[in-house]
Amino acid sequence: MSAQLIDGVLLSQQLRAEIAQRAAALTAKGNKPGLAVILVGEDPASHVYVRNKVKACGDVGFHSILEKYDADLSEAALLERIAALNNDPSIHGILVQMPLPRHINPNKVIEAISTSKDVDGYSVLSAGELMTGLTGFRPCTPYGCMKLIESTGYDLRGKHAVVIGRSNTVGKPMALLLLQANATVTICHSATADLAYHTRQADVVVAAVGRRNTLTADMVKPGAIVIDVGMNRDDSGKLCGDVDTAAVREVASHITPVPGGVGPMTITMLLMNTVEAAERG
Ligand code: NAP
């Protein structure tokens, strides 16, 4: 069997077309969706990420502002700026690009963003809303993974899902979203005694580790759905995920490629959360 590739580029295009329609309807009512992106410091990768996010906003008809600050910006000044954006009616989502310079406490910054504008879904309140089934914003990467699974037409009810990784931004919210979809969920991490034992029983595996070849073909149940969140480099410097894709393709029923799987979905779900924030008013 050769698994079907789940095309994150195509799904992103479809979802972005839907988001653009919703944005146009809001704009016609005088409520154009707005996203503020704040970048502090000179991290080159962060500059690329924020540029992509701002460009994506333009493509779907959002208003966006990009505020760039030198690395010596004080924590107090950043918090003051966030407070102003919390009160700005033209801004529905606020995103502070991580990592921040060491003198700024990232938790304090995340908690300063109003929950109604926390489109990254990283605050304690947003996490609590997800945990308790309220309508907070879902963190973008796991939300994108759920859309990828949904796009295969697969019904998660009663199925066994294994998430490898327990970070606050990917692994844990991923497990909660799978649970909400009525899967039975196992979370594995670096102290899991026998990772393969768990993954071999999984109908769905989500790998969010940051180490290539974490999931190999012998660890996958025939016909499983495999979602590869990892972003790593192989020996030749090419982008690769956590999964040995070529070999796992021969066992799984569906698999996300890297690149072109989860990656494009993350910004798309940021746009989705922002349009939803604007619709909530
Ligand atoms: P993270 O915070 O470093 O978390 C990695 C998780 O993997 C941890 O929970 C860790 O366990 C677990 N782990 C490490 N080694 C393991 C092993 N040998 N067996 C089982 N579990 C192991 O990383 P993250 O932010 O969640 O991101 C994970 C990966 O996804 C990274 O490659 C990142 O670049 C990528 N990512 C991609 C996107 C995208 O848009 N495509 C977005 C976000 C992240 P412990 O908790 O025990 O340390």
Side-chain angles (χ1 to χ4, degrees):
M1 168 186 351
S2 191
Q4 210 173 311
L5 290 178
I6 311 176
D7 187 342
V9 175
L10 182 66
L11 182 58
S12 275
Q13 280 167 359
Q14 290 164 351
L15 290 172
R16 287 186 196 199
E18 180 209 310
I19 293 165
Q21 276 182 6
R22 287 162 66 179
L26 285 160
T27 303
K29 286 191 253 165
N31 186 29
K32 189 173 185 149
L35 178 72
V37 180
I38 300 180
L39 175 63
V40 186
E42 297 307 324
D43 181 57
S46 294
H47 276 263
V48 175
Y49 294 149
V50 297
R51 208 179 313 130
N52 290 342
K53 287 168 186 172
V54 167
K55 181 182 177 303
C57 282
D59 291 347
V60 293
F62 288 6
H63 155 63
S64 68
I65 51 176
L66 172 56
E67 299 191 4
K68 291 184 185 172
Y69 296 102
D70 292 338
D72 62 359
L73 179 78
S74 71
E75 184 180 276
L78 178 55
L79 294 176
E80 207 173 290
R81 195 54 210 128
I82 291 171
L85 291 166
N86 281 340
N87 291 318
D88 181 342
S90 75
I91 293 299
H92 304 93
I94 302 170
L95 182 152
V96 179
Q97 186 65 44
M98 299 292 159
L100 287 165
R102 290 171 68 89
H103 67 279
I104 299 178
N105 179 341
N107 294 328
K108 232 173 166 177
V109 169
I110 291 167
E111 297 313 317
I113 298 170
S114 158
T115 310
S116 63
K117 300 191 180 187
D118 178 26
V119 285
D120 256 340
Y122 286 171
S123 72
V124 170
L125 248 165
S126 296
E129 292 196 333
L130 178 62
M131 164 77 97
T132 52
L134 296 175
T135 53
F137 294 111
R138 287 158 273 201
C140 302
T141 299
Y143 189 10
C145 293
M146 291 302 288
K147 288 282 180 192
L148 287 163
I149 297 169
E150 204 180 290
S151 75
T152 68
Y154 190 76
D155 183 6
L156 284 162
R157 171 178 286 274
K159 299 298 192 311
H160 184 199
V162 170
V163 180
I164 319 175
R166 57 173 166 182
S167 69
N168 288 335
T169 49
V170 188
K172 282 182 202 157
M174 186 73 237
L176 287 170
L177 289 171
L178 289 162
L179 194 60
Q180 263 180 18
N182 290 314
T184 300
V185 183
T186 301
I187 307 176
C188 299
H189 45 78
S190 66
T192 296
D194 185 350
L195 180 62
Y197 167 80
H198 296 285
T199 57
R200 274 189 207 118
Q201 298 175 48
D203 301 302
V204 176
V205 183
V206 181
V209 175
R211 202 192 62 163
R212 68 190 162 111
N213 291 334
T214 298
L215 190 76
T216 50
D218 58 312
M219 298 168 72
V220 176
K221 174 171 155 179
I225 294 184
V226 176
I227 307 292
D228 191 353
V229 183
M231 283 201 305
N232 313 296
R233 298 273 163 195
D234 68 13
D235 289 335
S236 58
K238 253 179 65 189
L239 189 66
C240 67
D242 292 341
V243 177
D244 178 3
T245 311
V248 171
R249 265 198 92 170
E250 298 309 312
V251 184
S253 67
H254 296 80
I255 187 167
T256 58
V258 177
V262 176
M265 293 297 290
T266 297
I267 294 186
T268 299
M269 302 327 288
L270 173 72
L271 300 172
M272 185 74 86
N273 279 345
T274 305
V275 80
E276 201 166 311
E279 285 168 351
R280 289 181 192 183

